Amino acid sequence: MNVAVIGANGQLGSDVVRALAEQGDEVCSLTHTDIELSSSDSVADCLRAQDPDIVINTAAMHHVENCEQQATKAYAVNAIGARNLATVTRELGSVLIHVSTDYVFDGKKGEPYVEDDIPLPLNVYGNSKLAGEHFVRTLNPKHFVLRTSALYGEHPCRAKGGQNFVELMLRLARERGRVRVVNSEFISPTPTADLARQIAVLTRCDAYGLYHATAEGLCSWYEFAREIFAVTATDVGLDVASPAEFPSKVPRPRYSVLENRGLKTLGLNQFEPWQVGLRKYVSQIPTASVVPAA
Ligand SMILES: NC(=O)c1ccc[n+]([C@@H]2O[C@H](COP(=O)([O-])OP(=O)(O)OC[C@H]3O[C@@H](n4cnc5c(N)ncnc54)[C@H](OP(=O)(O)O)[C@@H]3O)[C@@H](O)[C@H]2O)c1
């Protein structure tokens, strides 16, 4: 397989490149200097030159506050960019695997969202990503749209400036000895290594469509922090913070848990419980020691 990965130096893209190389694919790693999603010329020139069997798009403008302040740019990248990719991949006969987000939902369902649930994004980021999903789904029949949630991985998230939540918690514990985290927003913390493995599996299949793709189970950010400290035997005080302590300028879903119903129906779901993914991730951090599983 000749696979082009867009956003190849990002948090997810780096792991996707590795997972594809491990399964023997010929990988073309494309970074922002190689391709500009919002430019139809750039997308066409770059992909026509590569003529890949599969294009995997992990690139996005996904800093939620920046999207809100620069809505035109967010739509240019996340919506028109997806349209550009879908148009060119259809012309080339390539499969397009496009990564989307749990933020397409408003969070009011209060139980895990499945693929059939009607999206209703609360902010520019979610709306622009949903528009991108629609373009991909309508313009290239050979597509996978994968909605994921709360990513963390070995490589830094470029949009969020470095440290992921796990590293942030461990650093704050070291520096302050006491940490406060909100207990009112629920997510499925998903290791990028697991999502990359899921994407690699989908490159060998033609069950095109929209899929939810997150770690199994759910937790609040407080519960995620508690598990991080338990797994690493970190001696720290952990308190529940009120949402008012960390006010967000942008509305966000308070419950964005996704159920991987489509992948499970196909027998293709690669994800493990979020606690298992966390344990594996932490065991690779050089400075963290991991408590043996009970
Ligand atoms: N991070 C999360 O918690 C999370 C949760 C749910 C869904 N997602 C989705 O998961 C995907 C991957 O996220 P991530 O955390 O791996 O992101 P990331 O580390 O910020 O990487 C994003 C990549 O996209 C590139 N990029 C940004 N704008 C671009 C443009 N206009 N044209 C071409 N490339 C561009 C960036 O390059 P530069 O940095 O050089 O600009 C970077 O390489 C995104 O689609 C995101 O919406 C993320």
Side-chain angles (χ1 to χ4, degrees):
M1 285 288 179
N2 174 7
V3 189
V5 179
I6 302 173
N9 58 350
Q11 181 177 220
L12 173 61
S14 303
D15 281 344
V16 170
V17 168
R18 180 163 51 193
L20 296 174
E22 280 172 7
Q23 69 177 10
D25 290 333
E26 191 181 320
V27 184
C28 170
S29 298
L30 299 172
T31 68
H32 205 165
T33 51
D34 302 307
I35 187 167
E36 170 51 58
L37 289 184
S38 60
S39 158
S40 57
D41 285 345
S42 170
V43 171
D45 292 348
C46 182
L47 294 186
R48 282 182 194 142
Q50 303 299 331
D51 195 16
D53 303 308
I54 301 175
V55 173
I56 300 173
N57 179 35
T58 69
M61 180 170 168
H62 67 101
H63 187 287
V64 174
E65 284 82 9
N66 289 351
C67 287
E68 208 70 14
Q69 284 163 9
Q70 303 170 55
T72 305
K73 186 175 174 196
Y75 274 91
V77 177
N78 296 339
I80 301 301
R83 178 176 181 267
N84 294 336
L85 287 172
T87 304
V88 177
T89 51
R90 182 187 54 188
E91 169 200 311
L92 297 173
S94 317
V95 174
L96 175 58
I97 301 179
H98 177 75
V99 178
S100 190
T101 175
D102 52 342
Y103 271 36
V104 297
F105 293 112
D106 66 7
K108 295 191 177 136
K109 185 178 177 190
E111 58 186 87
Y113 285 95
V114 294
E115 290 85 348
D116 289 344
D117 284 322
I118 295 171
L120 191 62
L122 297 177
N123 53 41
V124 169
Y125 169 59
N127 274 294
S128 64
K129 290 289 280 187
L130 181 61
E133 289 187 3
H134 288 319
F135 280 126
V136 172
R137 295 174 71 188
T138 53
L139 292 176
N140 184 348
K142 289 163 64 175
H143 69 261
F144 292 97
V145 171
L146 304 178
R147 292 182 183 145
T148 194
S149 162
L151 293 177
Y152 64 96
E154 185 187 327
H155 302 273
C157 174
R158 291 176 67 87
K160 294 176 186 164
Q163 280 194 323
N164 63 41
F165 186 78
V166 181
E167 289 165 353
L168 175 67
M169 287 299 110
L170 293 174
R171 180 171 63 80
L172 290 179
R174 274 195 306 274
E175 289 175 2
R176 300 182 185 173
R178 224 172 167 87
V179 179
R180 299 177 68 76
V181 183
V182 289
N183 198 22
S184 50
E185 278 177 36
F186 294 86
I187 37 113
S188 302
T190 301
T192 48
D194 290 5
L195 179 54
R197 192 171 63 239
Q198 181 69 62
I199 289 172
V201 166
L202 291 176
T203 63
R204 298 297 187 266
C205 131
D206 62 1
Y208 304 123
L210 167 70
Y211 294 96
H212 288 178
T214 66
E216 292 294 313
L218 69 144
C219 60
S220 68
W221 289 106
Y222 172 85
E223 290 164 336
F224 189 22
R226 190 175 59 195
E227 187 71 11
I228 293 165
F229 296 140
V231 164
T232 55
T234 300
D235 186 16
V236 61
L238 176 62
D239 302 311
V240 174
S242 90
E245 288 178 55
F246 299 100
S248 172
K249 293 185 200 121
V250 182
R252 295 160 188 263
R254 290 177 69 175
Y255 184 102
S256 60
V257 178
L258 307 181
E259 163 72 13
N260 302 346
R261 181 172 288 175
L263 292 171
K264 287 178 187 167
T265 303
L266 293 175
L268 291 175
N269 186 42
Q270 300 297 304
F271 291 96
E272 301 178 297
W274 66 267
Q275 298 93 330
V276 176
L278 173 64
R279 184 170 280 279
K280 282 187 185 163
Y281 171 72
V282 166
S283 68
Q284 292 163 4
I285 301 178
T287 51
S289 54
V290 180
V291 177

